[in-house]
Amino acid sequence: MIEVKMIRSNGAVNGFEISGHAESGPYGHDLVCAAVSAVSIGTVNAIERLCHTEPHVEQGGEGGYLKVILPADLTEDATEKARILLEGMLVSLETIEHDYQQYIKITHR
């Protein structure tokens, strides 16, 4: 199962942590894993390009783990943009969770 933890501070999203594998299909054909990967990596790429910053990123060596935290020194404008992108990512992941709840679980901390 894929576990998504949205990391918040005072209600505002500051990052996320994704771990596990969906195992909803054979390796290379796992649609849930592919969808979660595309949404999360796409969000990181959008933050880098649109907010002109590199968030702190930790990845597992063989996949199955991604942790992303926004830098503390972002401008107010960049912080707002990055948080909107992260909230958009959450909406996309919740849509996946709705249809494939046996393979993905989202929590907030």
Side-chain angles (χ1 to χ4, degrees), residues 6 13-16 39-57 66-71 74 77-90:
M6 296 304 294
V13 66
N14 288 321
F16 63 89
V39 168
S40 58
I41 296 299
T43 299
V44 172
N45 291 341
I47 289 170
E48 289 178 353
R49 182 173 297 167
L50 300 175
C51 301
H52 309 287
T53 190
E54 289 192 29
H56 175 72
V57 176
L66 176 64
K67 183 175 182 180
V68 176
I69 303 292
L70 296 178
L74 282 178
D77 183 55
T79 299
E80 183 178 345
K81 286 179 186 176
R83 287 181 173 161
I84 289 170
L85 290 166
L86 289 170
E87 292 290 356
M89 180 194 80
L90 175 59

Side-chain angles (χ1 to χ4, degrees), residues 1-53:
M1 174 169 286
I2 295 174
E3 294 185 27
V4 178
K5 296 176 186 164
M6 296 304 294
I7 301 168
R8 294 184 181 272
S9 176
N10 298 321
V13 66
N14 288 321
F16 63 89
E17 183 175 31
I18 299 175
S19 61
H21 293 282
E23 298 179 4
S24 68
Y27 182 80
H29 299 278
D30 188 330
L31 296 179
V32 176
C33 184
V36 170
S37 295
V39 168
S40 58
I41 296 299
T43 299
V44 172
N45 291 341
I47 289 170
E48 289 178 353
R49 182 173 297 167
L50 300 175
C51 301
H52 309 287
T53 190

Side-chain angles (χ1 to χ4, degrees), residues 84-104:
I84 289 170
L85 290 166
L86 289 170
E87 292 290 356
M89 180 194 80
L90 175 59
V91 170
S92 295
L93 292 175
E94 286 172 340
T95 303
I96 297 167
E97 181 185 42
H98 179 267
D99 293 338
Y100 298 97
Q101 58 193 350
Q102 68 270 37
Y103 301 113
I104 178 173

